[in-house]
């Protein structure tokens, strides 16, 4: 039995290694190729089941590296690019850990999620807020949001769990709903998912900053900035999972 398990583990590592090689090659070329398109995890159905069943008692705060890390991300990234008084969309609000910072900034904030449970939690948590709307999405879409009606889109700890092809579809929707001059701040993976890297422990979907930028450019979204650290001397970062944040602007 032990010998059989060893063979299975060895075969799985070999398959992952080959998959890694193909993913990395496509990311270097900046192509959403066969390896990314055939990625089997992180579908909308899988995400819906996962986050509907998640224990949200900590409201997602368990994913903060520290309270200082979170506050610096809000001050140095969120408030830097999300305009005051604009119409804002947050994709994947979870337990509302970023919503609490976005709601006071926005004249109108729309929370979009593929899972019912996070929206229910946010409805209860922000029940006194009159500027928040809630939108259940069937997948990588922003249904009911008009063309060129949004000033900013924010999404953190979401695209890292979205299949590559669905990330591209979301970018198409973001390009559709953003008004000219509008901004999108998106946190996503930057590298391979499998193998022995920490990203595998974080259930990451494969993506790279180069491929993400190319997918955005194809949709007439220009990259204003890509970063993986912020705060004084870049002391706060996304190093544990090798992620990146891409800031996009619609011309």
């Amino acid at each position: 039995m032990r010998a059989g398990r060893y063979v299975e583990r060895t075969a799985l590592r070999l398959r992952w290694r080959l998959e890694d090689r193909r993913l990395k090659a496509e990311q270097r070329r900046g192509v959403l190729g066969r390896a990314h398109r055939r990625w089997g995890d992180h579908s909308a159905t899988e995400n819906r089941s996962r986050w509907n069943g998640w224990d949200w008692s900590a409201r997602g705060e368990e994913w903060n590296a520290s309270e200082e890390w979170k506050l610096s991300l809000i001050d140095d990234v969120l408030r830097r690019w999300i305009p005051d008084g604009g119409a804002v969309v947050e994709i994947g609000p979870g337990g509302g850990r970023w919503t609490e910072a976005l709601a006071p900034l926005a004249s109108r904030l729309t929370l979009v999620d593929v899972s019912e449970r996070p929206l229910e939690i946010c409805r209860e948590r922000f029940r006194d807020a009159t500027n928040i709307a809630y939108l259940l999405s069937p997948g990588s879409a922003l249904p009911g949001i008009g063309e060129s009606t949004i000033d900013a889109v924010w999404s953190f700890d979401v695209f890292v769990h979205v299949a590559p092809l669905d990330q591209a579809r979301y970018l198409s929707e973001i390009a559709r709903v953003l008004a000219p001059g509008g901004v999108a701040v998106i946190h996503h993976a930057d590298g391979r998912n499998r193998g022995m890297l920490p990203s595998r422990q974080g259930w990451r979907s494969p993506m790279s900053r180069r491929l993400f930028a190319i997918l955005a450019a194809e949709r007439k979204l220009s990259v204003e900035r890509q970063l993986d650290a912020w705060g004084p001397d870049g002391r706060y970062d996304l190093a544990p999972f090798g992620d990146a944040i891409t800031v996009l602007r619609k011309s």
Side-chain angles (χ1 to χ4, degrees), residues 3-232:
R5 289 176 180 172
Y6 174 78
V7 171
E8 288 178 1
R9 286 196 298 269
T10 300
L12 183 59
R13 290 193 188 99
L14 289 172
R15 181 168 63 84
W16 281 351
R17 188 177 302 169
L18 178 60
E19 186 176 51
D20 284 347
R21 190 176 303 145
R22 290 170 175 167
L23 290 168
K24 289 167 69 175
E26 290 180 2
Q27 288 167 6
R28 282 195 301 269
R29 290 160 49 211
V31 174
L32 191 70
R34 185 177 181 184
H36 285 82
R37 291 177 179 275
R38 295 184 64 184
W39 185 257
D41 294 333
H42 308 96
S43 68
T45 299
E46 190 174 6
N47 272 298
R48 185 172 297 111
S49 175
R50 185 181 184 91
W51 305 120
N52 274 335
W54 191 260
D55 177 4
W56 288 105
S57 57
R59 295 176 169 177
E61 302 291 346
E62 67 269 30
W63 295 311
N64 297 330
S66 67
E67 183 64 15
E68 294 77 16
W69 178 95
K70 176 188 175 182
L71 292 176
S72 183
L73 180 59
I74 291 172
D75 288 339
D76 298 330
V77 180
L78 187 151
R79 288 180 179 155
R80 176 176 177 180
W81 276 289
I82 303 302
D84 196 0
V88 180
V89 167
E90 181 181 10
I91 299 175
R97 65 173 170 151
W98 310 111
T99 309
E100 65 178 352
L102 291 168
L105 287 176
S107 61
R108 175 168 51 93
L109 175 61
T110 302
L111 305 184
V112 181
D113 209 295
V114 299
S115 306
E116 297 90 342
R117 184 60 182 147
L119 294 178
E120 291 173 359
I121 292 169
C122 288
R123 279 194 186 95
E124 175 60 25
R125 181 174 179 180
F126 304 105
R127 60 185 179 276
D128 294 330
T130 59
N131 65 330
I132 302 180
Y134 302 87
L135 178 61
L136 181 64
S137 172
S140 50
L142 303 175
I145 300 179
E147 184 175 339
S148 301
T149 59
I150 300 300
D151 299 298
V153 175
W154 170 268
S155 188
F156 195 93
D157 261 352
V158 179
F159 277 57
V160 291
H161 306 308
V162 174
L165 194 56
D166 284 337
Q167 291 187 52
R169 290 168 177 155
Y170 264 128
L171 284 171
S172 295
E173 281 288 85
I174 289 169
R176 179 182 68 81
V177 303
L178 276 181
V183 65
V185 184
I186 310 294
H187 165 224
H188 56 86
D190 183 24
R192 71 182 197 174
N193 177 268
R194 300 292 191 182
M196 299 304 293
L197 294 184
S199 61
R200 186 174 164 226
Q201 301 173 15
W203 198 57
R204 257 48 180 174
S205 173
M207 183 53 63
S208 71
R209 64 179 73 195
R210 170 174 165 75
L211 178 55
F212 198 83
I214 289 173
L215 292 173
E218 290 173 351
R219 290 152 179 82
K220 306 297 190 263
L221 296 170
S222 60
V223 174
E224 186 163 304
R225 179 85 181 274
Q226 290 189 307
L227 65 149
D228 54 27
W230 58 89

